[in-house]
């Protein structure tokens, strides 16, 4: 089996974040271990920022591969 590359890991992480954003859009509500609800607007913004950052890293890595 081929070793997973950094590019593969970043793409998988991006897919996971997009899935979480989809859940938030569908009304998911998370809470911390102590039961305190997570501010979903802040979590959505955090995930969107992270997806953007990953997009830039993925694009840069793809340019060096091709």
């Amino acid at each position: 089996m081929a070793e997973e590359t950094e590019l593969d890991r970043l793409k998988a992480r991006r897919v996971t974040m997009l899935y979480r954003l989809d859940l938030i859009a569908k009304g998911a509500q998370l809470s911390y271990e102590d039961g305190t609800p997570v501010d979903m607007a802040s979590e959505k913004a955090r995930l969107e920022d992270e997806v953007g950052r990953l997009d830039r890293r993925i694009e840069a890595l793809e340019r060096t591969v091709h």
Side-chain angles (χ1 to χ4, degrees):
M1 187 168 134
E3 184 177 322
E4 185 179 41
T5 66
E6 179 180 5
L7 184 57
D8 293 333
R9 286 189 299 272
L10 292 175
K11 286 181 177 182
R13 186 171 178 196
R14 183 181 182 280
V15 168
T16 299
M17 290 184 180
L18 291 174
Y19 176 73
R20 290 178 182 172
L21 282 168
D22 184 56
L23 290 175
I24 290 170
K26 292 178 179 174
Q29 179 61 51
L30 303 173
S31 59
Y32 296 103
E33 290 179 12
D34 66 358
T36 305
V38 172
D39 177 3
M40 297 310 285
S42 294
E43 182 65 4
K44 179 180 182 237
R46 184 189 74 76
L47 288 170
E48 289 171 340
D49 288 345
E50 185 66 13
V51 167
R53 188 181 69 76
L54 285 173
D55 285 344
R56 290 186 295 278
R57 285 184 65 196
I58 289 167
E59 183 180 332
L61 282 173
E62 286 178 335
R63 277 189 299 227
T64 62
V65 172
H66 298 294

